Amino acid sequence: MSPATGKYVPLLPEKKQGEKRASVHGAVFNVSTSIIGAGIMSIPATLKVLGVIPALVLIMIIAWLVDISVEFLLRYTQSGESTTYAGVMREVFGRVGSMSVQICVIITNLGCLIIYLIIIGDVLSGNFHDGSMHLGVLQEWFGIHWWNSRAFALLFVVILVMLPLVLIRRVESLRFSSAISFLLAVIFVGICSVMAIHALIEGKTKTPRLLPHLDNKTSFLNLFTAVPVIVTAFTFHFNVHPISSELAKPSDMISAVKISLLLCAGIYFTTGIFGYLLFGESIVADILVNFDLSSDTAIGALLNDTVRLSYAFHLMLAFPLLNFSLRANIDELLFPKKPLLEKDSIRFVSLTLVLLVFAYLAAIAIPNIWYFFQFMGSTSAVCLAFIFPGAIVLRDVHSISTTRDKIAAAVMIILAVTTSTIALSTNIYILVRNK
């Protein structure tokens, strides 16, 4: 039988007798780090599109639906023989189902990893935006030199920071880097909060809109473009099985997910509201561009640099978790009958290096892949987060779904398909109209 069915668990390390199980707090850090990535930079822009109140409601609704969809996945994993997302889909929909998951994971994770490197390059070495040059932190500190150009700065980061982390073979081993990564995200939010409160005291904050501004049909349709962005920001389903497999019992994963979603929802909304207070309607899709401003004081300049660097270091440490599931899914797709990936050092190291080199070269060659991520990544993320889990429940091959489950699954799929279709159509229309 093919390992993709889940019986031989090609994606996950085998547990040895008496081996120590992962802790719930370690799972919380890993789940939270999987969730908080490039998505956090676009949350303030969604508040500009939606208004404060609708954005808060949407963040809470999507977090709640994600919690439901993860519970669906875990329940069907426990009822079947599979221990991977692709394996569960194979049990329900055959080879087409498992391949669909693998392709969506590859698209989503590879796109995110490339975006991570592009953002890190922007922070360290700057970039052009709207016809103006924004200097990176290294260029501001040391001037413009060959060694702090994008290509060399990213090369140093990839070799010295990311390579040792992506060569780790167990997810639980990443708990310490995940904890640091999560702490850096909290620092990022904390500094944004301090800057916003300081600006509020001095009367320099912008007045946020509580509700969206609608003046025509296009403005109304633009509201739907914010939905896939928030969905993508909460998508971590590709890491559900690797993380849960190392816990002592399934209920631990359910608890870890609930805690993580609450933490991340709070971080997202805090970042959004304080970022909106700071920059108002001038806020752009990548909030770090707004922080790339000259400051009148040394403290202000230090805070700007700290915000950018904390976010860049957060992405460096979040990179290995996404790479873990990306590497595992590509291996299962290309080598379904091979032994466990962690047991084959040549295959493990070769695949790891190929993915890392490809992501690095893409980040150097492509200055901005935001639209690729918006159109491709968001669509695949919606499938992973809602459409596939909902379809599993509706198919109900193990006869464990209740009527309430099926109603929730149907509503989940309808909302996902409708909002994604409108969002993609609106973005295409705007792009064509602006040409």
Side-chain angles (χ1 to χ4, degrees):
M1 182 179 292
S2 167
T5 60
K7 283 192 173 182
Y8 301 113
V9 199
L11 302 188
L12 306 174
E14 289 180 333
K15 276 291 181 184
K16 297 178 181 179
Q17 192 71 22
E19 185 176 353
K20 185 179 179 181
R21 289 285 183 171
S23 61
V24 175
H25 66 266
V28 169
F29 285 128
N30 281 333
V31 171
S32 299
T33 303
S34 298
I35 295 174
I36 298 178
I40 195 173
M41 71 181 177
S42 60
I43 296 297
T46 63
L47 266 70
K48 182 177 74 172
V49 173
L50 295 172
V52 174
I53 295 176
L56 173 61
V57 172
L58 185 60
I59 287 173
M60 297 307 297
I61 289 175
I62 290 178
W64 174 59
L65 292 176
V66 165
D67 183 44
I68 293 174
S69 67
V70 170
E71 188 177 344
F72 286 161
L73 274 181
L74 291 173
R75 194 190 311 168
Y76 271 82
T77 301
Q78 297 159 27
S79 299
E81 297 178 334
S82 298
T83 53
T84 70
Y85 197 162
V88 174
M89 283 290 285
R90 174 183 278 273
E91 287 185 349
V92 180
F93 296 104
R95 179 62 177 162
V96 173
S98 63
M99 288 186 64
S100 298
V101 167
Q102 290 162 346
I103 291 171
C104 284
V105 170
I106 291 169
I107 292 173
T108 302
N109 286 15
L110 187 57
C112 284
L113 293 182
I114 295 171
I115 286 177
Y116 282 13
L117 289 179
I118 290 176
I119 296 171
I120 294 169
D122 289 345
V123 170
L124 298 178
S125 304
N127 204 344
F128 285 98
H129 181 77
D130 290 339
S132 60
M133 177 65 182
H134 294 266
L135 295 178
V137 173
L138 293 179
Q139 294 166 331
E140 291 177 353
W141 289 356
F142 305 105
I144 300 176
H145 302 282
W146 65 268
W147 56 267
N148 60 20
S149 64
R150 174 182 292 267
F152 283 98
L154 278 181
L155 183 61
F156 294 146
V157 169
V158 165
I159 294 176
L160 298 178
V161 179
M162 293 179 176
L163 181 58
L165 290 174
V166 297
L167 288 175
I168 293 174
R169 305 194 182 197
R170 290 192 65 233
V171 176
E172 171 64 9
S173 301
L174 295 171
R175 66 187 184 279
F176 296 115
S177 62
S178 294
I180 296 172
S181 177
F182 184 75
L183 177 62
L184 289 171
V186 173
I187 291 174
F188 172 79
V189 175
I191 295 176
C192 289
S193 304
V194 169
M195 294 176 70
I197 293 172
H198 181 263
L200 186 64
I201 293 174
E202 293 190 345
K204 296 180 179 180
T205 55
K206 313 296 181 181
T207 302
R209 285 186 289 105
L210 298 181
L211 298 172
H213 176 67
L214 301 176
D215 53 9
N216 53 49
K217 181 179 179 181
T218 303
S219 296
F220 174 74
L221 295 177
N222 278 340
L223 300 181
F224 290 89
T225 63
V227 178
V229 174
I230 299 179
V231 169
T232 304
F234 275 105
T235 300
F236 69 101
H237 299 62
F238 37 75
N239 273 334
V240 166
H241 292 86
I243 296 173
S244 63
S245 70
E246 297 178 356
L247 293 170
K249 50 187 178 180
S251 60
D252 288 345
M253 185 62 181
I254 293 175
S255 300
V257 169
K258 291 183 183 298
I259 295 170
S260 299
L261 288 173
L262 283 173
L263 289 173
C264 294
I267 288 175
Y268 280 157
F269 186 71
T270 303
T271 302
I273 189 64
F274 284 127
Y276 197 7
L277 284 172
L278 281 173
F279 305 113
E281 296 300 312
S282 65
I283 205 163
V284 296
D286 180 359
I287 190 175
L288 293 185
V289 174
N290 292 101
F291 283 104
D292 185 21
L293 301 171
S294 58
S295 178
D296 296 332
T297 64
I299 295 178
L302 177 62
L303 287 176
N304 283 338
D305 289 346
T306 305
V307 165
R308 289 186 286 167
L309 286 174
S310 64
Y311 189 75
F313 283 122
H314 162 73
L315 294 182
M316 291 179 198
L317 297 177
F319 191 97
L321 272 176
L322 288 185
N323 182 81
F324 188 95
S325 56
L326 172 64
R327 177 179 56 208
N329 277 274
I330 291 178
D331 181 73
E332 186 180 17
L333 184 64
L334 298 180
F335 310 106
K337 296 183 179 180
K338 293 285 187 179
L340 288 171
L341 180 59
E342 70 154 5
K343 302 294 185 182
D344 190 336
S345 295
I346 295 178
R347 197 167 91 250
F348 178 87
V349 174
S350 299
L351 187 55
T352 299
L353 291 177
V354 168
L355 290 175
L356 195 58
V357 170
F358 180 83
Y360 167 75
L361 293 176
I364 297 301
I366 306 173
N368 190 336
I369 58 169
W370 179 254
Y371 283 111
F372 169 80
F373 181 67
Q374 187 175 19
F375 287 114
M376 302 298 293
S378 295
T379 302
S380 60
V382 168
C383 290
L384 291 171
F386 300 131
I387 295 177
F388 291 162
I392 290 171
V393 171
L394 293 179
R395 191 71 178 267
D396 195 19
V397 294
H398 300 304
S399 301
I400 61 173
S401 296
T402 64
T403 301
R404 183 178 179 180
D405 292 336
K406 292 183 177 181
I407 292 174
V411 171
M412 193 182 295
I413 293 175
I414 292 171
L415 288 176
V417 172
T418 302
T419 55
S420 295
T421 301
I422 296 175
L424 289 173
S425 302
T426 303
N427 279 319
I428 292 172
Y429 170 74
I430 292 173
L431 285 175
V432 172
R433 186 186 63 178
N434 292 338
K435 283 187 175 180

